[in-house]
Amino acid sequence: MLVITLCSLFFARLGYTFACIVCGNLPCKSENMFDRKFLLITGIAMCLAASLPAQEKKAKKGDEKGDSKTENASGQAAKPAGLQWANRDMTYHGKGYDIMDSAYYPKFRSKQYHQYMEHQEAFPPKPRNMWEVGVGGGTFNVIGNIPSVMLWSKGGGGLSVNVRKSIGYIFSLRMQYIYGVAKNMDYQKTYGYDGPYTRFGYVPAQLATGAISANPIYRSTRMESSMLNLDMMFNAGNISFHRDRNKLAFFGYLGLGGLAYKTWANSLNDKFEKYDFNTIVKKPDEKPKNVRKELRSGMDKSYETPAQNTGNTKVLDKKTLSFAPSIGFGAQYKFNKQFNIQLEERFVFPRDPWLDGTRFGPMLGTQVSSGRTNDAVNYFSVSINYNIKYKKSVEPLYWMNPLDHGYNELSYPRHMILPNPVLPDKDEDGVTDQFDKCPKTPAGIKVDANGCPLDTDHDGVPDYLDKQLITPTECQPVDADGVGNCPCPDGCRDIVGNGNDKTDKRNPCGTIGACTLLFPESSKKINKGMDLQLATMAGQMQANPLCKVVITGGGSGSKAKEQRSWEHVNAIIEHMGDKYSIPRDRFIFKYGDSDNENMVQCRPADVDEPGDANVPPPHPDIK
């Protein structure tokens, strides 16, 4: 930041030198005017620049504080909530404006907005942005043949008003009106001068003869002017790759305008007689400020005589009108989105040598100087600017960082087209490796919600290896084949048959497998994974028309859990009837088991096992 400040001050000094070269062929001697202004600009710019490291430090401290709050127990930074692929967080996280908010755009840009939102156009439209208006004041000086008097030395000053509108993020247009009064006064006597002094009996060196000697004088003039400029301004301080925005911005501009001026000379005293400068200035070799102090004491305050001019077009109370291009540069510091303060230096170059009322320059020893080719105007000002908010509009674009949207879209994608995620499932059991507790399940084996093979009787042997699919709890533990330790009744191993005879005492559901269904949280809908298991059970029940199946819902301990358990069982029975035409009376309805409230168990019914298929809801008023 210090480098930027020093560079801006270097260019300020370079601009002054350039003005001196363009406007005339003599060095600019205006009582060290620009040396003092150079120091003033240096001090103010350094104060503004010094505030930026503090802002950066504060922002960095805030970021570190925020980061510490987002770390999880393992010390790693936690991910922002809601940034899932399927459910994005649509909150705008930037510091500029929400590009996806259509209210920021005028109607004639709605087409581009819709094309952007529908991914037909990569660039969003330019938003509606505020107008800036401002008022200011400062020093106003003519850089001419007579040295200028600064404001703090009872010299001239100026006032200005301006209106500025952004064209884009770098360029903007500004209309500025300046009313200025400039005062010029010699601090060394001169023998080279012309009208109006020659009309009142003063004898310049070019008119002196052997009989008539030249009269030394000290010229004092006052120039009043009105100036209107149209400026093309450029600013690049808002484009930042490492910050969301800046509060300090530097700018430059080129201007075209007109200068209407009128200059008066203080050539006569209050009795309308010519001055005797030899009696007014007693010590002509003193410092400039002391000489001018004597001149102010000995001269009156009136500027009674119109000075010479080019005789161009007269406007605004007979003022001379001149075409006046200009250049300038400055800095702005933003307090908030509405107000900012501005320092500015403007140099105006009208093609007119009479702004200070004379063509003769200061004395070069004993020689009369021919003076400058053209005079110039310098206006250094301090302004307060206000951004006018209308409808839904953003700050002027020269304060906005155009990279805000791009960086935030990379960090928090809301509009970006993202590919569907491909989650690995090496054993292809339908449960991704991230959540699979049994990652090497053989192909074709049915698994539960954790990716582990089904174990209906919870004996530790999965169903596909279990030779006794339903082993009573009292017969466990089991052997390696899943067979319990209870003795087999006499002749049980000799029973054969298909089990479809109603007089048969064997279990007609022996060929139907058990299943475990897991409902999603707070849902009673049958998802795709559950339907696959129910389709298998439906096929087995259709192959065994005398079979009944017991559907048992988990969930006990509260009325809400019991009601949810009933709803889960009822949803399964209705699904089997609606989709697979399995009659309701082939199910035994049970609920309120102590298992997980989202889990439902299915098993073949035992021979002559009692139970109803139509069970009323326990708490129908609970939703």
Side-chain angles (χ1 to χ4, degrees):
M1 194 63 240
L2 180 60
V3 174
I4 295 175
T5 304
L6 294 177
C7 288
S8 67
L9 298 176
F10 168 76
F11 284 112
R13 188 66 181 178
L14 183 63
Y16 160 63
T17 305
F18 174 75
C20 292
I21 294 173
V22 171
C23 297
N25 51 15
L26 294 176
C28 294
K29 299 179 180 178
S30 302
E31 197 185 24
N32 298 322
M33 174 180 71
F34 285 95
D35 290 334
R36 296 186 181 184
K37 290 175 63 175
F38 183 79
L39 293 175
L40 175 63
I41 298 173
T42 302
I44 297 174
M46 289 294 289
C47 291
L48 292 176
S51 67
L52 289 183
Q55 296 171 13
E56 294 176 355
K57 184 176 180 181
K58 183 178 180 181
K60 183 176 180 182
K61 184 177 180 181
D63 293 342
E64 291 175 351
K65 185 177 180 180
D67 291 342
S68 65
K69 292 181 180 179
T70 57
E71 292 185 356
N72 54 29
S74 62
Q76 298 177 345
K79 296 181 179 179
L83 286 180
Q84 290 83 21
W85 295 96
N87 182 25
R88 304 189 207 179
D89 177 13
M90 297 304 289
T91 304
Y92 171 64
H93 293 274
K95 295 295 180 64
Y97 71 101
D98 187 356
I99 280 182
M100 297 175 68
D101 187 347
S102 61
Y104 284 106
Y105 307 106
K107 289 184 179 180
F108 67 90
R109 291 198 175 102
S110 60
K111 181 178 179 181
Q112 184 179 353
Y113 170 76
H114 291 299
Q115 288 177 338
Y116 171 76
M117 293 301 294
E118 294 170 6
H119 299 284
Q120 299 173 4
E121 167 69 52
F123 295 91
K126 185 171 72 172
R128 185 187 297 109
N129 63 96
M130 303 178 193
W131 289 76
E132 181 182 271
V133 296
V135 295
T139 62
F140 190 89
N141 302 94
V142 169
I143 305 171
N145 298 304
I146 305 174
S148 182
V149 182
M150 299 301 296
L151 178 64
W152 48 82
S153 298
K154 299 182 180 180
L159 298 172
S160 60
V161 293
N162 57 266
V163 178
R164 183 178 176 186
K165 179 63 175 174
S166 171
I167 299 175
Y169 290 93
I170 296 178
F171 294 100
S172 58
L173 285 175
R174 181 181 69 177
M175 183 69 73
Q176 184 177 54
Y177 169 77
I178 303 172
Y179 172 79
V181 174
K183 293 183 179 181
N184 295 69
M185 177 182 283
D186 283 323
Y187 53 81
Q188 62 180 3
K189 61 186 176 181
T190 182
Y191 292 89
Y193 49 88
D194 45 16
Y197 295 94
T198 56
R199 298 201 306 269
F200 302 123
Y202 296 98
V203 180
Q206 67 269 23
L207 298 180
T209 64
I212 303 175
S213 60
N215 303 129
I217 69 170
Y218 291 84
R219 295 165 296 183
S220 178
T221 62
R222 178 183 184 274
M223 190 269 277
E224 179 182 351
S225 67
S226 292
M227 185 162 40
L228 187 64
N229 300 283
L230 178 63
D231 303 320
M232 171 62 76
M233 308 182 72
F234 52 91
N235 165 60
N238 58 322
I239 302 176
S240 176
F241 293 88
H242 306 290
R243 297 179 53 134
D244 49 28
R245 58 175 57 210
N246 292 324
K247 287 193 172 184
L248 180 63
F250 295 92
F251 63 86
Y253 59 86
L254 299 173
L256 295 176
L259 171 67
Y261 75 93
K262 191 172 184 179
T263 306
W264 289 267
N266 186 357
S267 55
L268 300 174
N269 60 23
D270 54 0
K271 297 179 181 179
F272 292 96
E273 298 173 348
K274 67 178 184 179
Y275 289 108
D276 183 359
F277 289 103
N278 289 323
T279 61
I280 294 175
V281 180
K282 299 179 177 59
K283 297 180 180 180
D285 297 328
E286 281 285 322
K287 293 181 180 180
K289 66 177 182 179
N290 294 332
V291 173
R292 284 180 170 170
K293 186 176 180 180
E294 289 184 319
L295 288 169
R296 291 192 185 97
S297 298
M299 299 174 69
D300 60 17
K301 303 294 190 295
S302 66
Y303 295 87
E304 75 289 330
T305 310
Q308 290 184 255
N309 55 63
T310 60
N312 290 345
T313 305
K314 303 295 184 179
V315 296
L316 301 175
D317 190 27
K318 297 183 180 181
K319 288 184 173 64
T320 301
L321 180 63
S322 296
F323 173 68
S326 58
I327 62 172
F329 54 88
Q332 287 180 288
Y333 183 84
K334 181 173 64 173
F335 295 112
N336 51 47
K337 291 183 178 181
Q338 302 298 130
F339 289 95
N340 66 81
I341 189 171
Q342 173 180 302
L343 298 179
E344 180 182 345
E345 184 87 76
R346 180 189 286 272
F347 294 97
V348 187
F349 306 105
R351 298 185 63 82
D352 192 326
W354 299 99
L355 299 185
D356 59 354
T358 183
R359 285 291 305 272
F360 289 91
M363 297 295 293
L364 299 177
T366 59
Q367 299 296 319
V368 176
S369 169
S370 59
R372 301 172 61 87
T373 304
N374 291 299
D375 293 343
V377 173
N378 170 242
Y379 178 53
F380 173 76
S381 61
V382 179
S383 303
I384 293 293
N385 300 317
Y386 175 74
N387 298 328
I388 301 175
K389 188 174 182 180
Y390 65 103
K391 294 185 178 180
K392 195 166 187 179
S393 54
V394 302
E395 301 171 67
L397 295 183
Y398 42 82
W399 286 115
M400 306 292 294
N401 188 349
L403 300 176
D404 178 87
H405 172 61
Y407 274 93
N408 278 281
E409 187 66 18
L410 289 175
S411 299
Y412 311 100
R414 301 186 302 148
H415 180 67
M416 192 186 306
I417 298 177
L418 301 174
N420 292 326
V422 178
L423 302 178
D425 181 16
K426 292 182 180 179
D427 56 6
E428 298 181 350
D429 60 357
V431 180
T432 61
D433 293 347
Q434 181 181 1
F435 303 104
D436 199 337
K437 294 183 179 180
C438 301
K440 296 182 179 180
T441 304
I445 302 301
K446 295 179 180 180
V447 297
D448 58 18
N450 296 318
C452 294
L454 295 177
D455 182 11
T456 304
D457 53 7
H458 304 289
D459 60 357
V461 179
D463 289 354
Y464 75 97
L465 297 176
D466 200 334
K467 294 185 179 179
Q468 188 178 25
L469 193 61
I470 305 297
T471 302
T473 303
E474 61 270 15
C475 299
Q476 298 181 22
V478 298
D479 59 19
D481 294 326
V483 178
N485 56 22
C486 296
C488 181
D490 295 339
C492 68
R493 298 185 184 278
D494 298 328
I495 298 177
V496 295
N498 58 19
N500 289 332
D501 186 353
K502 292 184 179 181
T503 60
D504 200 336
K505 300 282 182 145
R506 294 166 298 168
N507 184 359
C509 297
T511 59
I512 296 179
C515 67
T516 299
L517 305 174
L518 188 64
F519 281 83
E521 287 287 341
S522 303
S523 174
K524 57 182 179 181
K525 293 183 178 180
I526 308 297
N527 58 33
K528 187 175 180 180
M530 298 165 65
D531 185 54
L532 290 175
Q533 297 187 58
L534 293 176
T536 302
M537 185 172 70
Q540 294 170 346
M541 293 180 71
Q542 290 168 350
N544 297 272
L546 298 180
C547 170
K548 282 190 175 184
V549 173
V550 180
I551 309 294
T552 305
S556 62
S558 70
K559 293 181 179 180
K561 290 182 178 181
E562 290 179 356
Q563 178 64 22
R564 191 176 299 117
S565 176
W566 182 92
E567 291 173 350
H568 289 163
V569 175
N570 190 63
I572 292 174
I573 293 175
E574 288 184 350
H575 180 79
M576 294 294 285
D578 294 341
K579 188 169 183 178
Y580 301 108
S581 302
I582 305 296
R584 189 178 185 92
D585 59 6
R586 293 190 61 188
F587 296 96
I588 297 177
F589 195 122
K590 292 187 177 183
Y591 69 91
D593 191 69
S594 60
D595 285 336
N596 186 337
E597 61 185 88
N598 295 314
M599 183 181 294
V600 177
Q601 300 282 351
C602 308
R603 65 173 177 82
D606 295 332
V607 177
D608 299 329
E609 182 174 350
D612 295 328
N614 294 295
V615 177
H619 310 287
D621 295 332
I622 297 179
K623 300 295 182 182

